[in-house]
Amino acid sequence: MQTYAKVINVPDFPPREKHPTIFNGFDGLANGETMMIVNDHDPRPLLYQFMMERPEQFSWEYLEEGPEIWKVAINKK
């Protein structure tokens, strides 16, 4: 079973803090570490933001895709 360096439950944060909290978590990972985010909707806009702001630095894997919970593993390369 995969272990995660960090797990962020995104709905716990106010809207304006969600993405900064996730990026701060990602930036704190060592290369090769993986974090998991848990969300109440598809975080696809976050994926696009990662593609723009951290190109070639991450991998993204959906672990669970709704309808109520989405889980994504984000690995730092």
Side-chain angles (χ1 to χ4, degrees):
M1 180 164 167
Q2 170 79 42
T3 57
Y4 299 98
K6 246 179 212 92
V7 176
I8 297 175
N9 190 38
V10 181
D12 289 350
F13 296 91
R16 74 179 192 283
E17 293 179 17
K18 290 178 192 290
H19 286 200
T21 298
I22 293 164
F23 277 95
N24 286 340
F26 177 80
D27 291 339
L29 295 175
N31 291 346
E33 286 187 324
T34 302
M35 68 183 220
M36 181 172 65
I37 61 167
V38 180
N39 207 359
D40 57 3
H41 62 273
D42 187 347
R44 191 164 303 276
L46 179 67
L47 171 59
Y48 298 140
Q49 189 175 354
F50 262 92
M51 291 166 71
M52 295 295 294
E53 297 186 15
R54 305 289 188 280
E56 310 300 319
Q57 295 178 39
F58 73 98
S59 65
W60 178 281
E61 179 189 359
Y62 281 100
L63 304 172
E64 190 172 330
E65 295 185 69
E68 295 177 14
I69 298 289
W70 278 258
K71 293 181 180 178
V72 177
I74 304 171
N75 175 266
K76 186 171 189 176
K77 292 182 176 179

